[in-house]
Amino acid sequence: MTTIDWDSAADSFDEEPDHGLLDPVVRHAWARRLESWLPGARSEVLDLGCGTGSLALLAAGQGHRVTAVDRSPRMAERARAKLAGTGAEVLLGDAARPPVGGQRFDVVMVRHVVWLLPDPAAALRHWFDLLRPGGRLILIEGVWGGVGLPAGRLTGLLSEFTERVHHEPLSGDPDLWGGPVDDERYALVARAEPPRRHTEVVDVHLILRRGPDVLLARRAGTGYADALLHCPSGHVEDGEDVREAMIREAAEEIGVELGPDELRVALVMQHRGPGGSPRTGWFFEAEYDPARPPCNREPDKCSELEWFPLDALPDDSVAYCRAGLDGYRAGEHFLIHWHEDGDPVAYQPHGARRAVPLPAGGTGTGGVHHIELWVPDLATAERGWGWLLGELGHVPYQHWEHGRSWRRGDSYVVAEQSPDLTGQVHDRCRPGLNHLAFHVRDRATLDALVAEAPAHGWRQLFPDRYPHAGGEEHVAAYLEDAAGYEVELVAGIAQARPAPQEPDPHADVRERGRD
């Protein structure tokens, strides 16, 4: 560690304390800041526009090997006198292109220089070239009396070269300046990083549902996947979140103005096209509104819009989009779809399946583990509940002498004919379970379930008020099996249930008798 004799060096300082650091309080304040900005280990430091060498002397005093550069012969001479005995080297030259040859440094330090340069971006580029990997560029700048360089502008210039910039305001520390200041003064510490972090395009896709059908657009005149079908889609632009981007793209491409509450996330998929770079796609689901029919707003990019059954999609589609729709239909939420180089962009009915589903996280504390129903006749319950739960996406799970279960995700439903059963009919009007309620995707699916239910042992409750027996804003069906269990099927994801009214203690009995 170099020892500095400050009394001997004092004669070489400028007279102004904020530049010459003659004042011990000012000098200590800058030494403290430099200690936090410079590496803890001995490092090679390049001080550009060093002036009389005040900051160079502080860096040398903290054990660093310093090379100082200034274009003024007078300043360079004073810096040499000040730094004598420290091992520092003082060079005469331009701070923007310092005469250091191929030498590389751990730190490049520049104070009150950038704002004077005719081409700051070129200087910053050169200074980053002078840094070793992981090195630091320390810029001390400000705005004085309306001239100078605001921190926001300089940070913007640095964004071309690094993502790691630490901004430290200095105006609020009067010890640095020999007294209070009311203008903008700051330091930026930027790190020289290896090549930029991986980035991906983010795109959005609209799955517009009209009952069992989805809307697809045929690409044309784009130079990519022309003549193939694809969901209405586009890229997220700077400053947008994915939902805002989807709303904008829907309006631009098909003229449908969607509200944020009409969009539901259906699927997220990371995709790589053949020979291309990865991207991440967000697939959103929305319901068709007859009052807002879609139309082709971009005929230069799209030759037609057409509805297709989700369970019978056409083959002449973009493989990326088809993988998303197939995953959506299968109930997946996260996919990786990675083309091999040489794979076609178009969907291949008999080609390799590149989509890999990713399991979501567990339910965690508070989620429903299972629901167990005791039934008087297991065979009857298996026929009725097995059909209904299968239509709702559950799969057979457990099978034993007295019971069956069906699972969906982390939860399952059990039907058991227990030897300990004490009754033969479930009465939902007694204390205990009143009914189970399940989501149904849309009104068309609900209608189909209601039509098929009687063939599987279910009867419809309140048919004269279908589908609004639960309220005008609530689209649902109510079914009951032979054992007296009630199921509510609610159409529309995340549909709010109307607030309950004051109960009529006899209403349910009357309705059951009327049915």
Side-chain angles (χ1 to χ4, degrees):
M1 176 71 71
T2 304
T3 300
I4 303 297
D5 182 352
W6 290 102
D7 290 334
S8 300
D11 290 341
S12 300
F13 282 101
D14 290 340
E15 294 180 359
E16 292 182 43
D18 63 328
H19 287 280
L21 312 187
L22 179 60
D23 186 328
V25 174
V26 175
R27 184 169 66 242
H28 176 71
W30 279 102
R32 188 176 66 249
R33 297 281 180 161
L34 276 185
E35 190 172 22
S36 69
W37 299 333
L38 295 172
R42 178 181 173 88
S43 303
E44 295 286 336
V45 176
L46 177 62
D47 182 10
L48 298 177
C50 68
T52 63
S54 298
L55 291 186
L57 185 61
L58 292 178
Q62 293 176 10
H64 300 287
R65 177 175 172 81
V66 178
T67 300
V69 177
D70 200 282
R71 68 184 302 170
S72 165
R74 175 174 170 272
M75 292 291 184
E77 189 58 35
R78 297 186 65 181
R80 288 191 186 96
K82 187 179 295 185
L83 292 164
T86 66
E89 182 180 17
V90 179
L91 304 176
L92 188 65
D94 187 352
R97 303 290 299 186
V100 294
Q103 189 175 355
R104 294 294 179 264
F105 299 86
D106 302 299
V107 178
V108 173
M109 182 169 59
V110 190
R111 184 176 189 240
H112 300 166
V113 170
V114 182
W115 74 284
L116 294 168
L117 299 177
D119 190 350
L124 292 172
R125 183 177 295 106
H126 184 64
W127 295 341
F128 273 102
D129 289 341
L130 296 176
L131 286 170
R132 297 183 176 123
R136 309 178 188 188
L137 175 62
I138 301 173
L139 303 174
I140 303 165
E141 292 291 338
V143 179
W144 311 269
V147 298
L149 190 61
R153 184 182 170 206
L154 186 50
T155 301
L157 291 173
L158 288 169
S159 65
E160 180 182 347
F161 311 105
T162 181
E163 296 177 352
R164 295 185 59 186
V165 180
H166 167 68
H167 171 255
E168 194 166 317
L170 304 178
S171 303
D173 187 351
D175 289 347
L176 292 171
W177 317 106
V181 296
D182 57 4
D183 46 25
E184 181 184 11
R185 306 188 188 193
Y186 61 89
L188 298 180
V189 182
R191 300 296 293 267
E193 299 177 315
R196 283 178 174 249
R197 296 172 183 168
H198 169 71
T199 59
E200 291 189 2
V201 170
V202 177
D203 47 37
V204 290
H205 309 255
L206 180 62
I207 303 174
L208 187 63
R209 293 294 304 271
R210 189 182 67 179
D213 297 337
V214 295
L215 182 72
L216 297 179
R218 194 173 299 279
R219 299 177 64 91
T222 68
Y224 173 80
D226 288 335
L228 297 178
L229 292 163
H230 197 286
C231 290
S233 60
H235 296 165
V236 177
E237 296 181 353
D238 287 344
E240 287 183 324
D241 61 41
V242 291
R243 187 171 60 175
E244 291 171 336
M246 188 74 270
I247 291 171
R248 175 183 53 76
E249 289 289 351
E252 291 177 356
E253 293 195 7
I254 60 174
V256 175
E257 301 284 347
L258 293 170
D261 58 342
E262 295 182 89
L263 290 173
R264 301 179 292 272
V265 177
L267 180 82
V268 178
M269 178 166 65
Q270 189 187 34
H271 161 76
R272 176 186 179 271
S277 300
R279 61 178 56 210
T280 297
W282 286 69
F283 288 74
F284 286 91
E285 177 189 44
E287 298 296 334
Y288 166 73
D289 181 354
R292 295 173 295 172
C295 62
N296 187 358
R297 295 286 301 275
E298 296 183 335
D300 58 323
K301 300 178 182 177
C302 171
S303 61
E304 65 171 327
L305 296 176
E306 186 60 67
W307 295 97
F308 296 93
L310 182 61
D311 61 358
L313 294 170
D315 291 339
D316 56 337
S317 57
V318 178
Y320 174 19
C321 176
R322 178 60 182 264
L325 289 173
D326 287 345
Y328 164 76
R329 186 161 55 104
E332 302 294 348
H333 296 291
F334 302 95
L335 288 177
I336 294 175
H337 183 250
W338 219 253
H339 276 291
E340 297 291 337
D341 292 343
D343 282 352
V345 171
Y347 170 72
Q348 299 293 304
H350 306 294
R353 292 292 176 262
R354 301 299 187 192
V356 178
L358 301 178
T363 302
T365 301
V368 173
H369 186 270
H370 74 276
I371 296 170
E372 186 166 323
L373 306 175
W374 279 19
V375 297
D377 187 312
L378 180 59
T380 300
E382 185 174 12
R383 285 194 299 272
W385 284 97
W387 166 78
L388 179 61
L389 293 172
E391 292 295 310
L392 297 175
H394 295 66
V395 295
Y397 179 42
Q398 297 160 323
H399 187 287
W400 68 102
E401 181 183 359
H402 297 294
R404 308 287 185 268
S405 70
W406 298 265
R407 183 169 191 156
R408 194 176 195 277
D410 295 322
S411 303
Y412 59 96
V413 177
V414 177
E416 181 177 2
Q417 187 177 350
S418 171
D420 298 325
L421 190 70
T422 60
Q424 292 300 307
V425 177
H426 171 71
D427 188 345
R428 66 178 184 274
C429 291
R430 292 184 179 275
L433 177 73
N434 180 267
H435 69 281
L436 297 180
F438 296 95
H439 286 294
V440 173
R441 181 176 301 283
D442 49 39
R443 173 66 187 276
T445 305
L446 183 68
D447 290 342
L449 289 172
V450 169
E452 296 176 32
H456 300 276
W458 296 89
R459 74 184 187 98
Q460 185 179 2
L461 301 175
F462 329 124
D464 58 321
R465 289 190 279 152
Y466 175 77
H468 300 298
E472 288 302 316
E473 302 299 322
H474 193 64
V475 179
Y478 300 84
L479 306 177
E480 184 184 54
D481 74 352
Y485 285 102
E486 180 185 342
V487 167
E488 179 181 358
L489 305 177
V490 184
I493 297 175
Q495 183 184 35
R497 180 67 186 265
Q501 305 297 316
E502 285 297 322
D504 178 346
H506 306 294
D508 195 49
V509 175
R510 287 200 302 268
E511 291 293 348
R512 290 203 301 171
R514 197 171 74 182
D515 281 338

